[in-house]
Amino acid sequence: MALTEPTVEAIVHREPPRGRSLWVDARRRFLRNRAATVSLVVLVLIALFAFFGQFLTPYDRATVDFSLIGINAQQGYPSLETRRYFGTDMEGRDLYARTVQGTRLSLMIGIVGSLVAVVVGTLYGAIAGYVGGRVDGVMMRIVDILLSIPFMFVLILLLVMFGRSLLMLFIGIGLISWLPMARIARGQTLSIKNKEFVEAAIATGVRPLTIILRHIVPNLAGVVIVYATLLIPEMIIYESFISFLGLGVQEPNTSLGALISRGAAQLGNGVPWQLGFPLFFFVTMLFAFYFVGDGLRDAIDPKDR
């Protein structure tokens, strides 16, 4: 059977091939990264554990079993029969319930702190880069001065002066960690503000603030998302270090840093599970966030496409 050539009408009416958007291409590249995909699944499982794990145990995080306090803590070993999945701590409280709450608080502090840092830093850097001139110089010199101040010293000072509250921990971590994001956003804005679509918006009389919010900031989304995923583990580490020093989350609440601190102090008393379980969730969560961040960076970077 002879092959027939397509007619002109068939060629004209043939549907053009559908192109792939940047985000569709980035998603496919991300899913091809096995380490990043597995890490994303691990993060989802950790989030489910943090927010719904409490329903799997009959014990409360603050309920004390007086028969398992102090020297009797070795009897509170992990057991499925007693539903003490992670054992108990030195105060006779269920370690599984406290690990669930600690993971939830550490995860929330990391996400909320990075969200505050990304929003403040992106808007600050975009305004500085778009306006330029003396305004840009003054705004970035402020950032340089603030960056020269030790971050941990300022955070500890805020907690000592205004109280060791969870709200102050959120505010302190978020409002200080926006400085690197501001420099990144400002550098990206300098390369975007001379693009044709920005010049077209200026020519049509669009206000500068509208240009920043509708044209500049959306084009920073790729960099912002990657930076946010890499910033979350840093926020978790900061909070864990502060809680390890005893300045972070206060009783009866807890975090992974506080649990690790208490578990490390009891490591020589024959109760290794008090350190092992919180440390496992802490390390796993950090590695998962870093792998996801690396995967997003490779997927969104246009030079790798």
Side-chain angles (χ1 to χ4, degrees):
M1 182 177 181
L3 298 177
T4 59
E5 294 291 335
T7 63
V8 176
E9 291 79 4
I11 296 176
V12 171
H13 294 287
R14 181 182 298 172
E15 293 184 2
R18 294 183 179 180
R20 294 185 302 180
S21 67
L22 173 63
W23 294 108
V24 172
D25 187 46
R27 184 181 64 212
R28 293 183 179 181
R29 289 173 56 83
F30 179 82
L31 294 177
R32 287 199 297 265
N33 190 326
R34 183 171 300 178
T37 305
V38 173
S39 298
L40 182 61
V41 174
V42 170
L43 286 178
V44 172
L45 294 177
I46 292 177
L48 292 175
F49 168 80
F51 290 98
F52 301 103
Q54 186 61 46
F55 298 106
L56 300 179
T57 178
Y59 303 104
D60 184 76
R61 58 182 174 82
T63 302
V64 177
D65 188 340
F66 292 97
S67 64
L68 300 175
I69 295 179
I71 60 175
N72 297 323
Q74 293 183 2
Q75 301 175 10
Y77 54 85
S79 173
L80 295 178
E81 296 181 1
T82 60
R83 301 186 69 178
R84 300 278 191 184
Y85 307 122
F86 294 173
T88 59
D89 61 8
M90 295 300 293
E91 286 75 27
R93 296 171 296 188
D94 186 67
L95 187 60
Y96 172 85
R98 294 184 64 77
T99 303
V100 168
Q101 192 209 23
T103 305
R104 180 169 63 250
L105 278 180
S106 296
L107 194 61
M108 289 176 59
I109 289 174
I111 294 175
V112 175
S114 64
L115 182 63
V116 173
V118 164
V119 171
V120 175
T122 301
L123 292 177
Y124 190 94
I127 293 173
Y130 180 78
V131 175
R134 293 184 178 181
V135 175
D136 179 29
V138 172
M139 293 178 69
M140 298 316 296
R141 295 298 77 74
I142 293 175
V143 171
D144 293 338
I145 293 173
L146 293 177
L147 280 173
S148 65
I149 302 175
F151 169 81
M152 199 59 64
F153 172 77
V154 175
L155 182 57
I156 294 174
L157 187 62
L158 288 174
L159 292 172
V160 172
M161 291 178 59
F162 298 101
R164 305 173 187 179
S165 64
L166 189 61
L167 177 62
M168 183 53 59
L169 191 62
F170 274 95
I171 295 175
I173 291 178
L175 292 182
I176 297 176
S177 57
W178 62 270
L179 300 172
M181 185 68 241
R183 302 183 72 172
I184 295 174
R186 184 248 183 188
Q188 293 293 320
T189 303
L190 291 176
S191 62
I192 293 175
K193 71 176 185 178
N194 294 323
K195 299 291 185 180
E196 292 79 4
F197 61 91
V198 176
E199 294 180 352
I202 296 174
T204 55
V206 180
R207 293 182 301 175
L209 182 59
T210 304
I211 294 176
I212 292 174
L213 296 178
R214 291 187 179 180
H215 299 284
I216 301 295
V217 172
N219 282 277
L220 300 176
V223 177
V224 168
I225 292 174
V226 173
Y227 183 78
T229 55
L230 297 176
L231 186 61
I232 291 175
E234 292 185 17
M235 299 293 99
I236 296 175
I237 292 174
Y238 291 147
E239 180 277 327
S240 299
F241 179 73
I242 292 297
S243 296
F244 191 88
L245 297 178
L247 297 174
V249 179
Q250 301 298 309
E251 295 288 351
N253 297 320
T254 189
S255 68
L256 289 179
L259 291 174
I260 291 173
S261 175
R262 300 178 69 86
Q266 303 298 329
L267 189 59
N269 294 330
V271 285
W273 59 82
Q274 294 186 15
L275 174 64
F277 289 110
L279 187 62
F280 169 78
F281 282 94
F282 178 76
V283 173
T284 302
M285 191 160 49
L286 292 185
F287 273 103
F289 271 117
Y290 280 127
F291 279 124
V292 170
D294 288 339
L296 286 174
R297 181 185 58 194
D298 296 338
I300 295 176
D301 191 352
K303 295 183 294 184
D304 293 337
R305 289 187 292 129

